[in-house]
C-alpha cells in the first residue's frame, strides 16, 4: 500500500494527551512546565488541533486542575499502570475509530511528524513509530479495537506499554514504522528540569523556565 506521508487522506480521529504521570523526576507536574511562556500541555494540544482533530481528551491527574483547557478529563481505572491505563481510557471513550496518543512531555514533536505517522494509517489500522530498536508507543495511533488489549493488560497486572504494543502488532491492529533521522529529535522527551531546558531552542537563555 502506498502512503502519501505529506498529505494523508483525512481520517476519523480522536486524540488523547497523556498528562497523568507522577512527574517524580521533574519534581512537579510536568504538564504545566513552560517553554517560552507556554505550558507543555498547551503545546501538545496545539499540535493535535493543527491536525484538525476535534474530539480531544486529557489523561490527567486527580490533583491537577485542567478546567482552563475546556476538555474532557479521563482518570485511570487503576492507579500505578502508567501510560497503558491512560490509553485504555482513551480507547474506551473515543468516538472515532482511531485514537492518536500523544505524551505531554515531547516539546519538540511537530505537526509535520504527526502527519507523516497518519500517512501510514487507514481507518482500521494504526501506527507505532520505531526508533533505535524500540517502539515509541506514546506517539502512536491505535484503532478502537485495541481497547481489548489494554484492558486485558490491566486485568492481568501488566504495566509495560511495550507489551501492549506487541499485542497490537500481533493482531495486526497497528503497523510499526521506522523514524527517520530527520524526525528523531521530535521524540526527545523531558523527564527532568535539565532535559526541559535542553529542549528549548535557546537553551542558553532558558533559565526563566524555572522560577
Amino acid at each position: 500500500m502506498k502512503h502519501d506521508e505529506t498529505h494523508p487522506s483525512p481520517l476519523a480521529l480522536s486524540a488523547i494527551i497523556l498528562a497523568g504521570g507522577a512527574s517524580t523526576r521533574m519534581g512537579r507536574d510536568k504538564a504545566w512546565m513552560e517553554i517560552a511562556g507556554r505550558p507543555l500541555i498547551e503545546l501538545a494540544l496545539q499540535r493535535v488541533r493543527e491536525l484538525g482533530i476535534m474530539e480531544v481528551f486529557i489523561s490527567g491527574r486527580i490533583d491537577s486542575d485542567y478546567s482552563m483547557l475546556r476538555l474532557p478529563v479521563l482518570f485511570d481505572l487503576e492507579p500505578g499502570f502508567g501510560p497503558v491505563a491512560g490509553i485504555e481510557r482513551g480507547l474506551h471513550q473515543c468516538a472515532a475509530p482511531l485514537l492518536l496518543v500523544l505524551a505531554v512531555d515531547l516539546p519538540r514533536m511537530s505537526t509535520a511528524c504527526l502527519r507523516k505517522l497518519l500517512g501510514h494509517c487507514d481507518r482500521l489500522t494504526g501506527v507505532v513509530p520505531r526508533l533505535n530498536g524500540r517502539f515509541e508507543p506514546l506517539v502512536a495511533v491505535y484503532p478502537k479495537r485495541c481497547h481489548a488489549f489494554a484492558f486485558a493488560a490491566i486485568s492481568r497486572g501488566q504495566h509495560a506499554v511495550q507489551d501492549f504494543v506487541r499485542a497490537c502488532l500481533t493482531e495486526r491492529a497497528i503497523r510499526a514504522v521506522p523514524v527517520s533521522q530527520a524526525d528523531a529529535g521530535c521524540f526527545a522527551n523531558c523527564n527532568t528540569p535539565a532535559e526541559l531546558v535542553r529542549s528549548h531552542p535557546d537553551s542558553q537563555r532558558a533559565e526563566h523556565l524555572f522560577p
Side-chain angles (χ1 to χ4, degrees):
M1 181 181 297
K2 184 177 180 180
H3 299 278
D4 182 345
E5 297 183 349
T6 306
H7 300 287
S9 299
L11 294 167
L13 284 163
S14 299
I16 188 166
I17 297 171
L18 299 180
S23 301
T24 304
R25 284 182 285 171
M26 188 66 77
R28 54 186 282 198
D29 188 348
K30 69 175 71 173
W32 302 106
M33 300 296 280
E34 294 184 353
I35 286 184
R38 300 186 67 192
L40 290 179
I41 196 166
E42 184 180 306
L43 294 174
L45 178 58
Q46 178 182 333
R47 301 291 178 263
V48 170
R49 292 298 195 205
E50 286 171 349
L51 294 171
I53 301 174
M54 299 308 297
E55 184 180 61
V56 184
F57 302 100
I58 302 295
S59 172
R61 297 165 40 147
I62 59 174
D63 61 349
S64 194
D65 179 10
Y66 305 96
S67 57
M68 64 173 290
L69 301 175
R70 301 177 183 272
L71 293 173
V73 181
L74 307 179
F75 300 107
D76 298 352
L77 278 179
E78 296 285 345
F81 278 86
V84 172
I87 294 170
E88 186 275 331
R89 286 291 82 194
L91 288 168
H92 179 264
Q93 290 291 121
C94 68
L98 296 172
L99 178 74
L100 170 67
V101 171
L102 179 60
V104 77
D105 59 352
L106 297 166
R108 293 185 179 181
M109 181 52 59
S110 69
T111 307
C113 183
L114 293 174
R115 284 200 180 104
K116 289 179 185 179
L117 290 178
L118 296 184
H120 292 277
C121 299
D122 58 49
R123 65 185 186 87
L124 297 177
T125 311
V127 63
V128 62
R130 189 163 189 161
L131 178 63
N132 298 326
R134 283 185 61 83
F135 300 120
E136 296 289 339
L138 308 188
V139 188
V141 179
Y142 301 99
K144 194 168 175 67
R145 67 188 178 101
C146 290
H147 173 260
F149 313 139
F151 187 81
I154 294 170
S155 300
R156 291 192 297 262
Q158 294 178 338
H159 300 71
V161 70
Q162 295 282 330
D163 290 342
F164 163 70
V165 168
R166 291 187 186 97
C168 296
L169 286 167
T170 298
E171 295 298 324
R172 299 184 179 180
I174 60 175
R175 302 180 176 101
V177 175
V179 176
S180 70
Q181 284 301 113
D183 290 330
C186 293
F187 293 83
N189 65 336
C190 298
N191 290 309
T192 67
E195 288 174 349
L196 187 58
V197 168
R198 286 197 295 270
S199 75
H200 194 270
D202 189 1
S203 59
Q204 298 302 311
R205 293 196 296 274
E207 292 84 359
H208 69 282
L209 296 175
F210 306 101

